[in-house]
Amino acid sequence: MPAPDASATARLAVFAPLENRGRAETITRRLADAIALGLLADGEQLPSEPDLAAQLGVATVTVREALSELRNQGVIVTRRGRGGGSFVRAPQRDETAGLLRRRLRDLTVADLRDLGDHYGSLAAGAALLAADRASPDDLDRLGEAAAAFADATGVERQHHTDGRFHVEVAAAAQSARLTREEIRLQTEIGPLLWLPGADARTRRRLDRQHRELVAAIAAEDGDRAAALARQHVAEAIERLVELHLGLVQP
């Protein structure tokens, strides 16, 4: 199955050498995050163990340990023999919705606002840098990502395209580290943010915010881009707080 259209920067961030060599748990988390966000597509074949080890800058045995843990998590399957290898198995929404609701119920409003502060700061910083550094190709990908969200149907597809849009903003900032952190936060908070779903009015607002952010980056207006990104996150957190309160109230 072909890989999705992802920016080269975002995919390179997934497979970039580890800063802390030899840590299987880091590889596990990075690949699991990429699968959850859709940067690695359902059914996509991963590089071979030797190739993956070379790309990540670790020993083959470390990659083997990480892939074993990913199999235990059920997010990859490994087939032996001709045409074999390790293949992505993206989790289905109905497998995780109940778990996410329980997780949301166990958080506090203070937890959610703190997470929102962290994510909002990251999103604003990425937008600010993107306005200064984005290339014409980056702007094209941002426009395509915004259009993909506008055309998306169904909560799962809308969630993935919204997450991918924000990864493209981070990628346009020309920072692999920032892109990896965006991916990590998208997989930590993104599924929670989309638990409430999005009615037609909210989807239209999100679409407009995406397009306004692209326009600000294209105009090299970093202050406006940063403000738009922060507002986008703040509104999403408020929707999530409302859902949380509905879950905890008797």
Side-chain angles (χ1 to χ4, degrees), residues 70-248:
L70 290 168
R71 280 192 294 274
N72 290 337
Q73 294 179 16
V75 296
I76 69 168
V77 294
T78 300
R79 304 183 194 124
R80 305 298 178 188
R82 186 174 223 169
S86 293
F87 298 83
V88 171
R89 180 190 174 274
Q92 299 300 308
R93 182 173 174 80
D94 58 3
E95 296 177 30
T96 58
L99 177 64
L100 287 170
R101 285 181 176 273
R102 289 192 294 274
R103 178 186 167 201
L104 178 60
R105 189 174 57 241
D106 291 341
L107 293 172
T108 67
V109 172
D111 291 332
L112 293 171
R113 296 202 187 283
D114 186 57
L115 187 56
D117 288 343
H118 178 53
Y119 184 32
S121 296
L122 176 81
L128 181 67
L129 288 174
D132 183 54
R133 300 175 177 176
S135 68
D137 286 344
D138 291 326
L139 294 174
D140 287 343
R141 285 192 292 267
L142 281 171
E144 290 167 2
F149 175 82
D151 294 339
T153 57
V155 172
E156 184 174 3
R157 183 62 181 159
Q158 290 160 3
H159 161 218
H160 280 163
T161 52
D162 181 57
R164 291 284 294 282
F165 173 81
H166 291 288
V167 170
E168 292 290 0
V169 173
Q174 309 296 337
S175 168
R177 186 183 294 271
L178 191 60
T179 303
R180 287 196 297 272
E181 181 63 9
E182 176 68 43
I183 292 170
R184 188 189 71 77
L185 277 172
Q186 279 292 335
T187 56
E188 179 180 357
I189 194 173
L192 286 175
L193 292 176
W194 278 90
L195 269 176
D199 58 22
R201 181 179 179 183
T202 301
R203 290 195 302 273
R204 287 193 297 271
R205 180 162 180 76
L206 292 175
D207 176 37
R208 185 171 68 253
Q209 288 175 336
H210 290 164
R211 294 179 186 278
E212 289 175 349
L213 182 52
V214 174
I217 291 172
E220 301 181 6
D221 189 343
D223 289 341
R224 176 164 171 75
L228 286 168
R230 193 182 297 275
Q231 179 185 9
H232 184 80
V233 172
E235 291 182 7
I237 291 293
E238 287 307 310
R239 291 192 295 272
L240 191 57
V241 167
E242 185 177 346
L243 176 60
H244 164 77
L245 293 175
L247 291 173
V248 299

Side-chain angles (χ1 to χ4, degrees), residues 40-96:
L40 299 176
D42 188 39
E44 180 177 348
Q45 184 173 5
L46 296 177
S48 68
E49 289 181 0
D51 287 347
L52 195 52
Q55 290 180 53
L56 295 170
V58 299
T60 303
V61 67
T62 305
V63 167
R64 192 170 297 135
E65 182 181 346
L67 294 179
S68 176
E69 176 57 28
L70 290 168
R71 280 192 294 274
N72 290 337
Q73 294 179 16
V75 296
I76 69 168
V77 294
T78 300
R79 304 183 194 124
R80 305 298 178 188
R82 186 174 223 169
S86 293
F87 298 83
V88 171
R89 180 190 174 274
Q92 299 300 308
R93 182 173 174 80
D94 58 3
E95 296 177 30
T96 58

